[in-house]
Amino acid sequence: MDNKKRTAIQLVATLIQNANFKGFFTGKISEAPTKSVCVPGLNCYSCPGAIGACPIGSLQSSLSGLHIRIPYYVVGLLIFFGVILGRLICGFLCPFGFLQDLIYMIPIFKKQRVRTFRGDGILRYLKYFILVICVLLIPSLVRFTPFFCKYICPSGTVSGILLAIADHKILAALGGQFIWKASVLGIILVMSIFIARPFCRYICPLGAFYGLFNKISIVRLKVNEETCTHCGACARCCPMAVDPSKNPDSAECIRCGKCVHECNGSLHLGFVKGDKK
Amino acid sequence: MKRRILQISLLFAAAALIVTGIIMGQPGEVLAKAAKICLECIGIG
Ligand code: SF4
């Protein structure tokens, strides 16, 4: 799949998940019943456009309430999305992933861009730490502390900015915590100029979760071993620095399809039957 | 084959979890949280 088609799909997915367009002008978020369903990607439910719930926010809200409730419903939805699509959600459906891709497309500092660097591999484990500690453990132990939402989530910060633009009362209420969160967002956005998907690589707990399903998801990358010449074209073009001819099930692969486009026809992204590699 | 069995089992597990959550009224809890501005999320609370 070429990049333009993927960008079009990402745009449509972002618009559908944020179809409460009048919210961007009124500063009022949607209260529609569709918000009882979690969207697959990272899209804050406080975004003025959001018509669905954020799965990571919903998970923490269940765990950090007055009494811990096991979030059967949200976990069930996440497993369902993961088994069917794996990290294709990151590559095609996640609005915050799309924002990073848009920034990476800006043709500046092209020479300074890096695909990988020393320590890149180790740093990628950070997202698992964030999933376990910031999303699951701290909210379960400390009441009313959705740690990831409160101190890290850049999607929430974007929502805060959009709400503040539309509603001066929210603008007036922004303080120290917002400055912290805006700094986190700023660092991620600046990094996105130089490195593809820094948030998805190192921080996103949702990407960490879906990555666990890349080995078994129904939508996967398939290598035709009979025709693959191991020319390395796929590995060279991969924005996530994966070598799909060697490891098509890598948890780091966001299923963007760039390698499929570059390949001579030995790679296929789509529904893969059974155990085929 | 193993992969197929795992996929089907996980899909059944996901369906069971979703149904359990629905019976316990969890979609309503998700809606209640999502329909109000989350102050922590936007950097105020
Ligand atoms: S391996 Fe292919 S599909 Fe996966 S991230 Fe790299 S280029 Fe995209």
Side-chain angles (χ1 to χ4, degrees), chain A residues 8-64:
Chain A
I9 295 173
Q10 287 176 293
L11 176 65
V12 172
T14 299
L15 289 175
I16 291 174
Q17 290 172 79
N18 292 286
N20 179 42
F21 301 126
K22 72 172 190 305
F24 291 104
F25 303 100
T26 60
K28 300 266 175 300
I29 67 167
S30 165
E31 294 176 1
T34 49
K35 276 197 152 172
S36 60
V37 182
C38 296
V39 292
L42 196 77
N43 196 68
C44 183
Y45 35 39
S46 292
C47 175
I51 58 161
C54 168
I56 292 293
S58 304
L59 204 58
Q60 289 173 95
S61 153
S62 295
L63 295 173
S64 71

Side-chain angles (χ1 to χ4, degrees), chain A residues 18 28 55 64 66 68 75 97 110 127 130-131 136 173 276:
Chain A
N18 292 286
K28 300 266 175 300
S64 71
L66 200 53
I68 296 185
V75 172
K110 275 197 162 178
K127 57 182 175 292
I130 289 176
L131 171 63
L136 301 176
K276 280 181 195 154

Side-chain angles (χ1 to χ4, degrees), chain A residues 78-101:
Chain A
L78 284 173
I79 294 175
F80 179 75
F81 294 141
V83 174
I84 297 192
L85 299 171
R87 284 197 84 176
L88 187 96
I89 293 161
C90 310
F92 282 80
L93 304 179
C94 178
F96 197 74
F98 181 42
L99 178 63
Q100 291 168 88
D101 283 348

Side-chain angles (χ1 to χ4, degrees), chain A residues 221 234 237-244 252-260 267 269:
Chain A
L221 263 183
C234 53
C237 76
C238 175
M240 300 298 280
V242 171
D243 183 346
E252 297 301 319
C253 170
I254 56 167
R255 308 308 196 204
C256 66
K258 264 194 187 143
C259 54
V260 178
L267 277 171
L269 175 63

